[in-house]
Amino acid sequence: GTITKQGNIISYLEKDNKNNQVTLYDKPKQGTKKIITKYKPIANAENMTLLEIDLVTGRSHQIRAQMQKMGHCVAGDRKYGDEQWNIHFAKQFALTNQFLHAYKMVWQQNEGDLAYLVGKEWIAPLPKILQEIYNFYFVTDNAKFTENVDTSLPVKEYEAESTKLTQKYVDMIFGILENGVYTKTLNP
């Protein structure tokens, strides 16, 4: 679907470790953890939105579950996504995973042995298949950018100085989202 305004999503997450799935609630409940995600639309095309996402908290399945709860599933997501939409991307582009990519990581921890990395950032290009999908939908005359955005994603690769970068430090993630109705869980 089309997301035209930036916003925040606040939910309370409960993880079912046995089934490796989460449930989200609008209000706190015993055993839940508060999760916060900021999102900003970058471009819209053919009932899809390219988003920049900032994980304020970093919990299991956070982006995927919150986007599904909003009615905007991540393309290629077999667990929280829309089956028909995923079939479309699998047939057209051979996409078998989620269209999520940590394109930019910023080190935020300012204590300990790695404190010297504070503020350093690493930028990674999209994998080939995601770049093809991005080009097909968003580098066309049909794409509507919400602001003056450079349509070329970063192409420089930086070698990480630490292998201890985790999802906790992800600053922004791109994801194609669509407005679908969650029908059932597909086991990966």
Side-chain angles (χ1 to χ4, degrees), residues 48 75-76 85-95 133 137 176:
M48 290 177 283
W85 193 245
N86 293 342
I87 290 169
H88 163 76
F89 275 96
K91 284 182 178 177
Q92 185 158 349
F93 299 102
L95 181 68
I133 295 168
Y137 287 108
I176 290 183

Side-chain angles (χ1 to χ4, degrees), residues 86-144:
N86 293 342
I87 290 169
H88 163 76
F89 275 96
K91 284 182 178 177
Q92 185 158 349
F93 299 102
L95 181 68
T96 58
N97 296 308
Q98 303 105 31
F99 191 116
L100 287 175
H101 177 65
Y103 92 94
K104 179 179 176 182
M105 299 181 85
V106 179
W107 190 266
Q108 296 175 351
Q109 184 176 348
N110 62 4
E111 297 175 6
D113 293 341
L114 301 174
Y116 69 94
L117 293 174
V118 169
K120 280 203 147 224
E121 61 182 44
W122 294 266
I123 297 178
L126 282 172
K128 184 179 178 184
I129 189 170
L130 299 184
Q131 186 69 55
E132 288 172 8
I133 295 168
Y134 173 82
N135 291 345
F136 184 85
Y137 287 108
F138 295 104
V139 183
T140 68
D141 292 336
N142 297 328
K144 295 180 179 77

Side-chain angles (χ1 to χ4, degrees), residues 152-176:
S152 62
L153 291 180
V155 292
K156 290 185 179 179
E157 291 187 56
Y158 297 90
E159 185 177 325
E161 294 181 32
S162 167
T163 58
K164 294 184 179 183
L165 291 173
T166 64
Q167 186 175 8
K168 183 176 180 181
Y169 303 108
V170 171
D171 185 49
M172 290 177 273
I173 297 178
F174 278 114
I176 290 183

Side-chain angles (χ1 to χ4, degrees), residues 40-44 48-52 99 134 138 174-176:
K40 178 181 173 185
I42 301 299
N44 297 298
M48 290 177 283
T49 301
L50 184 68
L51 292 177
E52 178 180 285
F99 191 116
Y134 173 82
F138 295 104
F174 278 114
I176 290 183

